[in-house]
Amino acid sequence: MTELNFRRHRRLRSSKAMRSMVKETYLHKEDLIYPIFVMEGENIKNPVSSMPGVFQFSLDTLNTEVDEVVELGIPAIILFGLPAEKDAVGTGAFHDHGIVQKATRQIKERHPDIIVIADTCLCEFTDHGHCGVVEGEKVLNDASLDLLGRTAVSQAKAGADIIAPSNMMDGFVAAIRVALDEAGFEDVPIMSYAVKYASAYYGPFREAADGAPQFGDRKTYQMDPANRMEAFREAESDIEEGADFLIIKPALSYLDIIRDVRNNYTLPIVAYNVSGEYAMIKAAAQNGWIEEKPVVMETLLGMKRAGADMILTYHAKDVVRWLEEK
Ligand SMILES: [Zn+2]
């Protein structure tokens, strides 16, 4: 009889202890960044209908939410702001009493140790909903850079620990780095949305942040989902311009890009598990079609396995509870 020759892979899966011994990837609560939406007004805790469990908070209801995040041991939050009024240049983004600046001051006063990341863009603050200054239907690149620099400086002044420019204008990292340095904030790092695709997965976020463009789309500044080499070019230029972290957004449909960037650059990588990815899991779970906890854990583990160091996710609070259950 011919002898069968094969590898017994199941040896290393034979018991829980054995599986645990050879486990390659872990999800830790230290990896998580939790997004919070803040808005002007009083006594507001508005549920975002397409994102169950996510709310918009006014400053007077915000403390309870941040206290909970701190209590859970999530190390960082990222703030998105909804101003009372919008205008053509997005004044609310760079005003010292803008909603993000006020929320940052309030949070840092109450919880000096939590890392507050300020999303730096104009789209939530402009009446046209684009991420930069517009002329007719054109989004102007260089004219937007000055406003982004001003926004970053006002956020740093309010106490933001990290500046996270998301608007995909060319040169935005360079412009923000110069503005921060000139204002004496050379120690404030930049977490750049370096590789950001023009994705349909942002749908629910536009409800949450009230930031849908009023005309056209964002395809002249966000990337084509079909492109891989372009991701290298975007990451490279942000590194040259002085980025300290690289965000890849969205995450789930771009795990190959996370891996590519991981293999080619050494900066910490943040995967942005976006609103549409969250909404799909929530909806299926609410219908009883999938089991929420294992699907969320598997999804986020996949992002870490792909090479992400950190995950920006609306699931963060649930994930910490689940990690502590076992
Ligand atoms: Zn934007």
Side-chain angles (χ1 to χ4, degrees):
M1 219 176 103
T2 322
E3 205 182 308
L4 282 177
N5 187 9
F6 59 90
R7 294 284 299 270
R8 293 204 178 269
H9 300 290
R10 293 180 58 195
R11 284 177 191 143
L12 302 188
R13 299 176 200 139
S14 61
S15 68
K16 196 174 176 204
M18 189 70 83
R19 291 191 294 275
S20 164
M21 202 177 183
V22 298
K23 192 188 277 292
E24 298 176 28
T25 312
Y26 288 88
L27 190 60
H28 302 292
K29 68 178 172 188
E30 289 79 8
D31 305 330
L32 304 172
I33 299 170
Y34 188 60
I36 296 182
F37 298 94
V38 288
M39 67 189 299
E40 294 285 3
E42 273 173 33
N43 204 22
I44 297 167
K45 188 183 173 185
N46 276 344
V48 178
S49 64
S50 52
M51 301 172 73
V54 174
F55 300 86
Q56 299 164 328
F57 296 93
S58 51
L59 293 173
D60 55 344
T61 60
L62 176 65
N63 285 348
T64 327
E65 177 77 351
V66 181
D67 290 353
E68 190 188 346
V69 171
V70 170
E71 187 71 22
L72 286 166
I74 296 169
I77 55 172
I78 181 163
L79 294 179
F80 298 96
L82 292 86
E85 281 165 31
K86 303 188 180 208
D87 60 27
V89 293
T91 307
F94 47 85
H95 199 282
D96 280 339
H97 296 283
I99 183 67
V100 169
Q101 288 80 352
K102 286 192 286 190
T104 302
R105 271 185 227 110
Q106 179 177 319
I107 293 167
K108 290 301 289 186
E109 200 165 300
R110 194 172 165 88
H111 299 291
D113 292 336
I114 195 165
I115 293 176
V116 173
I117 305 169
D119 180 83
T120 305
C121 198
L122 304 176
C123 52
E124 290 140 32
F125 304 91
T126 50
D127 49 16
H128 46 74
H130 276 287
C131 302
V133 182
V134 299
E135 195 176 77
E137 301 237 319
K138 191 169 183 223
V139 180
L140 302 179
N141 194 86
D142 300 14
S144 306
L145 297 180
D146 173 53
L147 299 181
L148 288 171
R150 285 170 65 182
T151 303
V153 168
S154 74
Q155 291 169 334
K157 229 193 272 175
D161 299 285
I162 298 176
I163 298 302
S166 57
N167 89 339
M168 291 294 281
M169 293 299 121
D170 290 326
F172 70 160
V173 174
I176 286 173
R177 188 69 271 162
V178 166
L180 287 173
D181 291 355
E182 279 178 354
F185 294 109
E186 58 281 317
D187 291 331
V188 174
I190 296 176
M191 182 182 278
S192 169
Y193 287 67
V195 181
K196 182 177 181 181
Y197 288 91
S199 169
Y201 282 93
Y202 304 152
F205 179 91
R206 295 193 179 152
E207 180 200 342
D210 187 28
Q214 298 305 302
F215 61 85
D217 54 39
R218 297 193 171 127
K219 290 180 183 167
T220 67
Y221 41 108
Q222 296 177 356
M223 294 165 56
D224 184 339
N227 294 354
R228 172 169 173 249
M229 300 318 288
E230 195 181 6
F232 291 110
R233 297 199 292 274
E234 282 285 356
E236 226 161 73
S237 59
D238 282 19
I239 293 168
E240 281 166 12
E241 291 175 28
D244 301 281
F245 302 80
L246 302 175
I247 298 179
I248 293 161
K249 179 183 182 184
L252 198 50
S253 304
Y254 301 88
L255 295 175
D256 57 327
I257 304 297
I258 295 176
R259 170 50 57 191
D260 278 339
V261 174
R262 166 76 301 146
N263 286 352
N264 284 279
Y265 307 106
T266 58
L267 289 187
I269 293 176
V270 184
Y272 196 143
N273 175 216
V274 301
S275 60
E277 298 168 15
Y278 175 84
M280 290 195 302
I281 290 183
K282 282 286 180 184
Q286 283 183 350
N287 273 297
W289 296 338
I290 58 166
E291 241 187 290
E292 184 175 357
K293 172 182 161 180
V295 169
V296 170
M297 298 307 251
E298 185 177 332
T299 305
L300 299 195
L301 198 62
M303 293 167 194
K304 287 217 60 191
R305 198 188 58 242
D309 299 293
M310 282 151 274
I311 304 172
L312 208 163
T313 178
Y314 304 96
H315 296 291
K317 292 194 296 180
D318 290 334
V319 167
V320 173
R321 288 189 193 102
W322 293 329
L323 284 171
E324 274 156 17
E325 256 173 26
K326 48 170 188 182

